[in-house]
């Protein structure tokens, strides 16, 4: 109930709207829209208030290109969120990305993760113990059942993100060693890649040697690969080989056709 909204509450909601619009499904944003509108209108009336001026002067932008959120049906979101809150089973029709066909599954929800422009339901399929990730926009139909879902005492969402998200094995830590350009060295000097990081000037060059303890995961590797000619990877060797292979494939795509 926002009838007695405080200015600070209105400001927080106003800034949250800009941050969440590329993270949450549209069906969720539609539910929150009345609150966002109230906050926006409230701040608009505070012409002489410092917080109203702050709202007109401050914006939050994502780092990098943000894709638009995948479309999630309102009925799907309602069934999924209720099943998760009430710990109930779900009967779903799910579009498999790898097989490109729809399969009917009975699942036991455990958690929900919003990552970039996609939300994932973490759940186990009835008859199996392993947890899987179901993209909400690929759930074509979801029916909330009255039967209780199987609970998992060992499930903890933060630990799942660290160890299991988008991987089949626990994520290990590795030492990343690379030579980086002055621009990247400056960036990492201000916003470190890891708490365990060092930058050492290279003799006879304006580049620096980067050492950092990072997760051995695809996300970090993609970040390094995106630096292009501004980084020369030295360790771990598996990453060096991966970048070499990707670079070769990229070069093939841009070879002139004869």
């Amino acid at each position: 109930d926002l009838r007695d909204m405080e200015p600070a509450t209105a400001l927080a909601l106003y800034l949250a709207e800009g941050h969440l619009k590329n993270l949450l499904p549209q069906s969720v944003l539609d539910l929150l829209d009345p609150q966002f509108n109230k906050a926006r209108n409230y701040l608009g009336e505070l012409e002489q208030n410092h917080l109203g001026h702050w709202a007109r002067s401050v914006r939050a932008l994502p780092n990098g290109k943000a894709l638009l959120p995948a479309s999630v049906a309102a009925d799907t979101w309602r069934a999924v969120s209720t099943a998760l809150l009430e710990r109930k089973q779900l009967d779903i029709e799910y579009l498999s990305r790898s097989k490109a066909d729809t399969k009917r599954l009975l699942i036991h929800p455990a958690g929900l993760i919003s990552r970039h422009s996609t939300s994932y339901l973490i759940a186990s399929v009835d008859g199996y113990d392993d947890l899987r990730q179901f993209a909400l926009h690929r759930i074509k139909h979801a029916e909330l059942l009255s039967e209780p879902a199987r609970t998992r005492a060992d499930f903890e969402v933060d630990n799942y993100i660290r160890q299991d998200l988008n991987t089949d094995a626990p994520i290990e830590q590795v030492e990343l060693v690379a030579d980086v350009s002055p621009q990247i060295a400056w960036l990492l000097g201000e916003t470190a890649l890891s708490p365990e990081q060092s930058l050492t000037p290279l003799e006879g060059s304006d580049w620096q040697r980067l050492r950092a303890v990072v997760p051995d995961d695809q996300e970090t590797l993609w970040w390094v690969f995106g630096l292009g000619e501004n980084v020369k990877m030295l360790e771990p060797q598996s990453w060096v080989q991966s970048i070499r292979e990707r670079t070769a494939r990229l070069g093939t795509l841009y070879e002139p056709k004869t």
Side-chain angles (χ1 to χ4, degrees):
D1 187 355
L2 301 178
R3 287 174 294 181
D4 299 322
M5 183 184 297
E6 295 290 333
T9 303
L11 178 62
L13 283 171
Y14 180 83
L15 294 178
E17 180 184 15
H19 178 69
L20 296 174
K21 66 181 181 181
N22 288 328
L23 291 177
L24 295 178
Q26 186 59 48
S27 54
V28 182
L29 293 174
D30 291 341
L31 294 174
L32 295 174
D33 195 55
Q35 282 78 10
F36 289 146
N37 283 333
K38 288 181 181 180
R40 196 181 305 110
N41 294 335
Y42 183 92
L43 290 172
E45 297 172 356
L46 299 178
E47 292 296 335
Q48 306 303 320
N49 188 286
H50 294 304
L51 292 180
H53 174 70
W54 181 279
R56 291 187 293 272
S57 305
V58 175
R59 295 293 181 271
L61 295 176
N63 184 21
K65 177 62 178 176
L67 301 178
L68 295 177
S71 178
V72 178
D75 289 344
T76 296
W77 169 255
R78 189 176 299 108
V80 168
S81 58
T82 303
L84 186 59
L85 286 171
E86 299 181 0
R87 300 183 178 181
K88 298 290 181 62
Q89 296 180 31
L90 274 175
D91 186 352
I92 67 171
E93 293 179 8
Y94 189 72
L95 175 62
S96 171
R97 180 178 178 180
S98 58
K99 299 180 180 179
D101 63 356
T102 303
K103 181 181 294 186
R104 188 170 179 177
L105 300 168
L106 178 62
I107 63 175
H108 302 261
L112 185 68
I113 296 173
S114 179
R115 190 181 197 190
H116 304 306
S117 56
T118 303
S119 294
Y120 296 93
L121 176 65
I122 311 304
S124 59
V125 177
D126 194 54
Y128 298 87
D129 292 329
D130 59 311
L131 289 171
R132 306 182 191 180
Q133 300 161 35
F134 298 91
L136 292 192
H137 63 278
R138 296 196 196 107
I139 298 178
K140 300 308 177 183
H141 177 74
E143 180 182 353
L144 177 66
L145 304 180
S146 58
E147 290 81 1
R150 182 175 61 243
T151 59
R152 299 181 60 105
D154 62 333
F155 177 77
E156 201 281 318
V157 68
D158 290 326
N159 185 63
Y160 181 86
I161 291 172
R162 287 191 299 269
Q163 297 295 338
D164 301 289
L165 189 62
N166 290 335
T167 183
D168 296 325
I171 297 175
E172 303 293 337
Q173 300 291 307
V174 295
E175 184 182 34
L176 183 155
V177 182
D179 294 340
V180 296
S181 69
Q183 303 95 312
I184 302 304
W186 184 284
L187 171 67
L188 295 178
E190 294 182 326
T191 53
L193 181 62
S194 162
E196 301 177 62
Q197 172 186 294
S198 65
L199 288 163
T200 307
L202 294 174
E203 186 176 353
S205 171
D206 57 356
W207 282 43
Q208 295 193 41
R209 175 68 52 83
L210 166 68
R211 293 181 180 272
V213 177
V214 299
D216 186 6
D217 60 6
Q218 286 295 313
E219 190 168 17
T220 309
L221 177 58
W222 291 336
W223 181 83
V224 174
F225 186 74
L227 298 179
E229 70 275 11
N230 289 300
V231 61
K232 180 181 179 181
M233 176 69 68
L234 303 174
E235 295 288 346
Q237 281 299 308
S238 59
W239 289 23
V240 174
Q241 182 61 28
S242 179
I243 291 176
R244 186 180 292 120
E245 293 172 354
R246 294 182 185 206
T247 303
R249 291 195 295 268
L250 186 62
T252 302
L253 288 175
Y254 287 93
E255 287 181 352
K257 295 182 179 180
T258 56

